[in-house]
Amino acid sequence: MNWTFFFQSSWLIGGRYFMIAGFAFLLFYVLWRNRLFYKKIQLRFPRYTDYLREITYSALTICIFSFVSVVLFKHPKVAPLTTRYYSIEAYGWFYYFLAFPLMLIMHDTYFYFTHRLMHHRALFRWFHLVHHKSTNPSPWAAYAFHPLEAIVEVGIVVIFMFTIPIHKTHLLIFFLIMIVYNVYGHLGYELYPKGFSKTAIGKWINTSVNHNQHHQYYTGNYGLYFLFWDRVFGTVRTDYDQRFEEVRSRKRP
């Protein structure tokens, strides 16, 4: 076990989580708590025990993600088999930038189908119940997974590393984007403008309202970044657009 790399990975993954989730929490749950309360998707705040549970499980998730990083990048029998590369010239700049939308599509697809699978009654309590204890999620819920679910979630990294060429900076940038969007999805506030969910582009983009409904009602809205698979399989909640407009149409009392 390469403990030095483990702690470096924990510092990187955990640092991004605590910095981004912490900044969002500070703004929306502390500094602007009363000023923006009328815009909160669910008009109540989580309990302090909810925050503690979310942070505790997120810390476990960070450790699991870091352990997998050690295996993929430092294990002498595993690392040489991965598709990781170090020189951009090896595949060119075109592929370097093309890899990001490709990774988004791959991750969104992986997330949708594993997410739906974990909602199966035989698996839900063992894998996904911990995350759904946040029925009114806060930014801290972004990584609040049961260890079994954390293993499923980090599986996308394994897929990346054994299917497509991955430059050493691809994962750094991609997972920075991922945690930002994940925190937004659990923010409890909607940042997209009124009418966005019905636009030609917006109807394919996941929103905070969309994911908040999933936490509140446990069914429907399974996507991560996009709503493509939700729309293909008819799993977008029928009240989603109405709920989005209701939240974004609220006036300051």
Side-chain angles (χ1 to χ4, degrees):
M1 180 68 171
N2 189 323
W3 288 106
T4 299
F5 190 77
F6 174 83
F7 287 119
Q8 288 175 343
S9 297
S10 298
W11 179 259
L12 176 63
I13 299 169
R16 287 186 305 215
Y17 164 78
F18 282 104
M19 181 174 64
I20 296 169
F23 180 71
F25 185 83
L26 177 65
L27 288 183
F28 289 91
Y29 288 73
V30 180
L31 298 179
W32 298 340
R33 179 183 178 93
N34 297 323
R35 177 181 172 188
L36 295 182
F37 176 70
Y38 74 99
K39 291 187 176 183
K40 198 169 186 310
I41 298 170
Q42 297 184 47
L43 291 172
R44 58 190 177 89
F45 285 101
R47 297 166 298 183
Y48 288 105
T49 52
D50 292 322
Y51 302 141
L52 180 61
R53 183 192 65 254
E54 291 170 349
I55 294 172
T56 300
Y57 276 103
S58 292
L60 287 174
T61 295
I62 290 164
C63 290
I64 291 169
F65 286 4
S66 300
F67 175 78
V68 172
S69 296
V70 172
V71 174
L72 286 175
F73 303 136
K74 295 298 180 180
H75 194 285
K77 293 185 178 180
V78 176
L81 301 177
T82 67
T83 58
R84 195 181 193 198
Y85 69 101
Y86 297 87
S87 174
I88 292 178
E89 286 70 25
Y91 292 92
W93 283 102
F94 179 78
Y95 174 78
Y96 179 83
F97 289 108
L98 178 65
F100 290 110
L102 179 60
M103 292 165 74
L104 279 172
I105 294 169
M106 290 174 65
H107 192 194
D108 189 74
T109 300
Y110 176 84
F111 181 87
Y112 178 85
F113 289 103
T114 56
H115 191 185
R116 285 200 69 180
L117 181 63
M118 288 187 292
H119 270 267
H120 189 281
R121 65 179 61 186
L123 300 176
F124 183 82
R125 62 177 293 205
W126 301 104
F127 285 79
H128 202 41
L129 177 60
V130 163
H131 191 62
H132 267 284
K133 287 185 177 181
S134 299
T135 55
N136 182 24
S138 81
W140 298 119
Y143 277 170
F145 308 132
H146 185 280
L148 291 177
E149 180 173 2
I151 293 171
V152 173
E153 299 295 348
V154 78
I156 188 59
V157 182
V158 179
I159 291 175
F160 285 158
M161 297 303 294
F162 288 95
T163 57
I164 62 174
I166 295 292
H167 187 264
K168 62 180 182 179
T169 60
H170 274 144
L171 294 181
L172 292 173
I173 298 171
F174 179 80
F175 284 107
L176 175 61
I177 296 171
M178 184 275 289
I179 187 60
V180 169
Y181 211 81
N182 203 1
V183 166
Y184 155 70
H186 295 89
L187 183 62
Y189 291 85
E190 185 53 67
L191 303 182
Y192 284 117
K194 181 180 178 180
F196 178 78
S197 70
K198 296 181 180 180
T199 64
I201 295 177
K203 70 179 182 179
W204 302 105
I205 304 297
N206 200 7
T207 66
S208 192
V209 167
N210 186 282
H211 195 65
N212 193 280
Q213 282 190 307
H214 178 77
H215 274 265
Q216 186 175 6
Y217 301 112
Y218 281 52
T219 60
N221 303 357
Y222 297 101
L224 178 57
Y225 308 110
F226 310 115
L227 298 181
F228 174 79
W229 293 113
D230 272 310
R231 295 203 181 278
V232 167
F233 289 102
T235 52
V236 177
R237 288 184 57 88
T238 57
D239 58 347
Y240 164 55
D241 287 329
Q242 178 183 357
R243 180 65 166 158
F244 187 94
E245 289 304 296
E246 183 274 319
V247 170
R248 295 305 290 147
S249 298
R250 292 177 191 163
K251 304 296 183 182
R252 184 184 299 274

